Amino acid sequence: MFGRLSFAVIVLVICTVSLWSTVKSTTRSISRSEIEVDALWDTAASVGWRPSSAPRSDWPPPPAETNGYLRVRCNGGLNQQRSAICNAVLAARIMNATLVLPELDANSFWHDDSGFHGVYDVEHFIKSLRYDVRIVESIPEVKKNGKTKKLKAFQIRPPRDASISWYTTDALAKMKEHGAIYLTPFSHRLAEEIDNPEYQRLRCRVNYHALRFKPHIMELSNSIVNRLRAQGHFMAIHLRFEMDMLSFAGCFDIFTPAEQKVLKKYREENFAPKKLVYSERRAIGKCPLTPEEVGLILRSMGFDNSTRIFLAAGELFGGERFMKPFRSLFPRLENHISLDTSGELGKNSRGLVGSAVDYMVCLLSDIFMPTYDGPSNFANNLLGHRLYYGFRTNIIPDRKALAPIFIEREKGHTAGFEESVRRVMQNTNFGGPHKRVQPESFYTNSWPECFCQMSAANPADKCPPDNVLDILDSQLAKGGNDDPESATSNSTSVVGK
């Protein structure tokens, strides 16, 4: 009896110790959710995928005779215009039209009339797309009844997110009637989700190959990147804590009464009326992160104050009052003005050239972090470009999941704050290939259409043949295109490289 009782006690002790060890181990794994910061400086795992936007099926060259000329006016900022240019090329292909070099809107916000010629390499743009569409710099003059006059384009306001059928019916009918049409405004005027992978790959060829900034912009961008990289890795942050975005989001309560008045006035003048309650917006992650919140996220993830950061941002609303906490956490901050030795950007830091330099530095950075990726074309386009440019690491905060953690901190409940932030950030996709899910834009994630695998289980994912350019050149020669110069590679070049 005594022996059996002793045995039972020993078993009970062993089970208790085992259970205590399991609980302790589980608690440790929960309470010490670590993020490998060192690994984030490298590119994300490609899982066998590589970028490729070359055609994979029969892709006839543009015929010598087209249905007419297509003019577009691309409104908005640099990256909204960039998406519009991609759509303009695709629209021209769909309608078998000759594209007139897109016009860039010189709006009141940018105070910049650089135009396409002032920002992009026009010759490279036209040559790179010679397999896809005919492009001219202006509508030519026509002879009629013995007189020479310029063809006048018929102006149309296209519907937002118009379908392909609208272009092949309504728009094409007007083009054939007038010889040329002018689509304005032309932002988000072609549906993003198109069930034709070749059309989507054409968008990628425009966005990631044909749209190359002018040489002096590339040189300035590279000099800034070289200065940053001379001291090791660097991170780029798009800090979207600006008047227009704060007004759009309706996040006013953290500002002074005078600042709130400015924000509300801007909203009334630029956005549709809508009742916005700050506490409700904040709770669901609709407010841009403050600079301090950005710093706290990075610190919680494990980045220390030696981290070098490039800030791509316009004028921060509220100024140094909001920047001071961030700067105390991460003092090694730079922007394109502080790193520009030429002095060119100081003349007009808000212009298209300044935005183009920010774009290139963010593209080439080791890590990119957008703080407000909702309606931000800059952030969304960069996320897509960095994915295409070799799965470069992105840190995308889940503002909705982080909001209650920050709200509790503001109430004085700071215990476990960093651990809670880390748990949220562990669910981040840091830049690898992933399925595109609404509301994610095609320009944010062009996988899988613009990627391929050398050893693909699905034939649709197989990379195009190595001689794809020879095939396209042969087709182009048979098609009668009269441009004798060879084209820039659409399958291997990367914008800026």
Side-chain angles (χ1 to χ4, degrees), residues 52-54 56 197-205 449-450:
S52 174
S53 57
R56 297 176 209 172
E198 291 297 3
Y199 284 169
Q200 299 291 57
R201 282 191 274 272
L202 173 55
R203 277 173 161 157
C204 289
R205 290 199 292 279
E449 294 95 332
C450 295

Side-chain angles (χ1 to χ4, degrees), residues 24-34 419 423 426:
K24 185 178 180 182
S25 175
T26 303
T27 303
R28 184 187 299 115
S29 66
I30 293 174
S31 63
R32 292 191 56 78
S33 52
E34 301 295 336
E419 179 61 29
R423 286 184 195 174
Q426 277 188 317

Side-chain angles (χ1 to χ4, degrees), residues 256-407:
T256 66
E259 290 169 339
Q260 289 187 34
K261 186 176 180 180
V262 172
L263 290 172
K264 289 175 181 177
K265 182 175 184 294
Y266 186 91
R267 177 167 181 83
E268 290 170 1
E269 293 174 350
N270 293 278
F271 303 110
K274 186 178 181 181
K275 184 180 179 182
L276 300 174
V277 180
Y278 171 74
S279 58
E280 296 175 359
R281 301 284 288 173
R282 176 93 191 283
I284 59 175
K286 293 296 184 181
C287 289
L289 294 170
T290 69
E292 182 181 21
E293 288 170 344
V294 174
L296 290 171
I297 291 169
L298 293 176
R299 181 57 62 87
S300 299
M301 291 179 67
F303 292 96
D304 59 33
N305 62 4
S306 68
T307 305
R308 192 147 202 214
I309 296 175
F310 177 85
L311 285 181
E315 184 177 352
L316 265 64
F317 195 77
E320 187 59 26
R321 180 172 91 255
F322 287 94
M323 275 302 297
K324 189 175 180 179
F326 183 51
R327 201 183 302 278
S328 67
L329 290 169
F330 294 94
R332 301 185 69 191
L333 299 179
E334 303 280 5
N335 60 29
H336 63 221
I337 299 296
S338 66
L339 292 167
D340 173 26
T341 56
S342 71
E344 177 180 351
L345 296 175
K347 300 170 187 174
N348 184 8
S349 63
R350 292 179 64 196
L352 290 174
V353 172
S355 184
V357 170
D358 278 350
Y359 185 94
M360 285 307 305
V361 177
C362 289
L363 173 63
L364 298 172
S365 64
D366 300 296
I367 296 173
F368 173 63
M369 180 180 184
T371 62
Y372 198 76
D373 58 313
S376 172
N377 293 291
F378 184 93
N380 288 334
N381 280 16
L382 266 165
L383 291 173
H385 203 156
R386 286 175 63 83
L387 186 76
Y388 191 86
Y389 195 35
F391 306 105
R392 302 174 83 82
T393 300
N394 301 311
I395 297 175
I396 309 173
D398 183 342
R399 296 189 308 281
K400 186 176 181 179
L402 289 167
I405 301 173
F406 282 115
I407 292 171

Side-chain angles (χ1 to χ4, degrees), residues 86-100:
C86 298
N87 287 341
V89 172
L90 179 53
R93 174 77 188 194
I94 291 168
M95 294 190 290
N96 181 26
T98 297
L99 177 66
V100 181

